[in-house]
């Protein structure tokens, strides 16, 4: 998808898990500034970092974010995923046939 949108070289992906939160936050901070994309994979594996993700998302302001910035996240269903992030996101689901 990123290649088709012209962002194939401007996407950073990180698989979430133990100790990946600070790295993910740094990727998001840089992407906000330069207008690139960040993919946080397997967010369900980092439940302790979800409050930090919620704070990051709540701090996003249209006038301080590059318009090309995108934050993509993948996760299995989990009660630890911040409801406010879900409510303010475009959601896609993938279910087996």
């Amino acid at each position: 998808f990123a290649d088709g949108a012209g962002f194939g070289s401007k996407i950073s992906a990180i698989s979430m898990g133990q100790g990946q939160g600070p790295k993910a936050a740094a990727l998001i901070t840089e992407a906000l500034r330069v207008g690139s994309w960040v993919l946080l994979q397997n967010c369900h594996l980092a439940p302790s970092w979800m409050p930090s993700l919620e704070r990051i998302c709540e701090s996003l302001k249209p006038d301080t974010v590059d318009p090309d910035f995108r934050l993509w996240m993948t996760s299995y269903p989990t009660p630890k995923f911040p409801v406010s992030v879900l409510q303010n996101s475009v959601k896609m689901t993938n279910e087996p046939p």
Side-chain angles (χ1 to χ4, degrees):
F1 180 76
D3 286 334
F7 283 85
S9 64
K10 292 180 69 178
I11 186 167
S12 300
I14 187 169
S15 184
M16 299 303 293
Q18 188 173 10
Q20 296 300 95
K23 294 176 186 176
L27 286 175
I28 293 169
T29 299
E30 178 65 11
L32 287 167
R33 190 179 63 76
V34 300
S36 58
W37 292 6
V38 175
L39 170 60
L40 305 180
Q41 298 171 308
N42 303 315
C43 288
H44 59 281
L45 298 177
S48 64
W49 191 70
M50 291 297 101
S52 296
L53 174 64
E54 185 173 29
R55 283 190 297 276
I56 290 169
C57 290
E58 288 177 348
S59 72
L60 300 178
K61 305 288 183 243
D63 54 335
T64 61
V65 175
D66 187 289
D68 289 332
F69 168 76
R70 298 293 184 274
L71 178 58
W72 300 82
M73 295 170 267
T74 68
S75 179
Y76 281 114
T78 175
K80 299 288 184 179
F81 203 93
V83 173
S84 65
V85 174
L86 287 172
Q87 289 174 334
N88 291 297
S89 300
V90 175
K91 292 158 284 294
M92 300 184 322
T93 60
N94 184 16
E95 296 181 13

